[in-house]
Amino acid sequence: MLKVIIAGYDKMLAALINGAQDNGHIVVGVIRIDRVRYNPLTLFLKDIFAPSKDFSYIKSKNLKEIKTNSVNSKKFRDFIKKSGADLILVGSWSEKFSIETIETPKYGVINCHPSLLPNHRGANPYFWQIYSGDNKAGVTFHFMNEKLDAGEILMQGSFDITLNMTGGSLKTKTCKVAEIMVGQLLGDLEEDNIIPVKQDESKAVYDRWEEDLRFVDLKKEPPLVIHNKIRGLRPFLYPIINYNNRNYKIGHSELILETNPKFETIKQGKFLIIKYENCTLKLTLI
């Protein structure tokens, strides 16, 4: 039975909490991303009048919230020591952990990254895995070190990316897989059954966001690339197209495989239907 601190937000935060508790481990403290994003007064008012899902979830589980504005603060490291935490589990975070913080708990800091590292390091792998046309998505638990998403791998799990899966549905699936995996991870750590594996740096891919990725070029981009971009962005952002000199936001994309060779665009109400040689792309416009 390990004592765990969990840092994160949204569905991954909940997944790590559930996975640890359901397998008999003790969550001694939680730090939510709100503590980093807002100053204390703003957060105090927000928690009263517009509480986040993370705040409500932590309260519903009756967990101890660590009230510090950084994982690199002395206050946070003092909590690690006082609570006797064996490790910190991270599920989505916006700060780089300092070496001093990483070395404080017995097992260090373990990140849950939503891709098959060393591929798709960096932010929002949900989008990048779909946009890149990957057939497989996954979860990687790895030790944190001084480099971004580059620490030794402890455990990985993978699953298929389906043709019409969105960034949002991929995130939901990924968090469910992580929740199942975390129990085995903690059990194996406790029993010393894990051999950390170094990442192959020659295969490392860092994804970097560019603003024009939101824009879809119907004339230049192939249908599968268009479809992957749109579904990867949703529901995080609205992709944008220009049709007949007017910009539209795209709410949904559906790719239908066909055999009739033709190319034309048809606007029907809120839909833009694009017929290619071997498929039809149906876009919902906003």
Side-chain angles (χ1 to χ4, degrees), residues 124-132 165-170 209-216 221 225-241 250-253:
N124 201 352
Y126 309 112
F127 165 73
W128 290 107
Q129 289 171 104
I130 293 176
Y131 180 54
S132 300
M165 183 178 278
T166 66
S169 59
L170 175 56
W209 178 258
E210 297 176 5
E211 187 58 35
D212 61 1
L213 278 173
R214 284 190 65 191
F215 292 89
V216 177
E221 296 177 280
V225 172
I226 293 173
H227 179 60
N228 287 347
K229 179 185 288 189
I230 293 168
R231 67 193 181 104
L233 286 171
R234 298 297 299 130
F236 312 120
L237 291 170
Y238 284 110
I240 297 171
I241 64 166
I250 307 172
H252 180 70
S253 172

Side-chain angles (χ1 to χ4, degrees), residues 2-44:
L2 296 177
K3 293 182 179 179
V4 184
I5 291 173
I6 298 178
Y9 64 92
D10 201 40
K11 294 179 181 178
M12 191 61 80
L13 174 67
L16 296 182
I17 291 172
N18 290 340
Q21 289 190 323
D22 290 349
N23 287 275
H25 300 281
I26 301 174
V27 178
V28 296
V30 179
I31 179 170
R32 54 186 166 118
I33 201 67
D34 293 339
R35 291 284 166 191
V36 176
R37 290 177 173 170
Y38 302 99
N39 67 56
L41 178 58
T42 300
L43 184 58
F44 173 77

Side-chain angles (χ1 to χ4, degrees), residues 130-178:
I130 293 176
Y131 180 54
S132 300
D134 295 359
N135 295 319
K136 293 282 186 180
V139 176
T140 301
F141 285 94
H142 68 95
F143 281 131
M144 275 193 171
N145 60 21
E146 69 280 2
K147 296 180 180 179
L148 179 64
D149 300 328
E152 293 176 312
I153 293 173
L154 303 173
M155 182 178 290
Q156 286 187 314
S158 66
F159 55 90
D160 293 336
I161 297 178
T162 59
L163 181 62
N164 288 303
M165 183 178 278
T166 66
S169 59
L170 175 56
K171 180 178 180 178
T172 298
K173 173 73 173 179
T174 301
C175 292
K176 288 180 179 178
V177 171

Side-chain angles (χ1 to χ4, degrees), residues 131 216-230 253 255 263 274 276 278-279 281 283:
Y131 180 54
V216 177
D217 193 326
L218 297 177
K219 295 180 179 179
K220 293 182 180 180
E221 296 177 280
L224 184 57
V225 172
I226 293 173
H227 179 60
N228 287 347
K229 179 185 288 189
I230 293 168
S253 172
L255 186 67
F263 177 86
I274 311 168
Y276 296 90
N278 57 1
C279 65
L281 196 57
L283 309 181

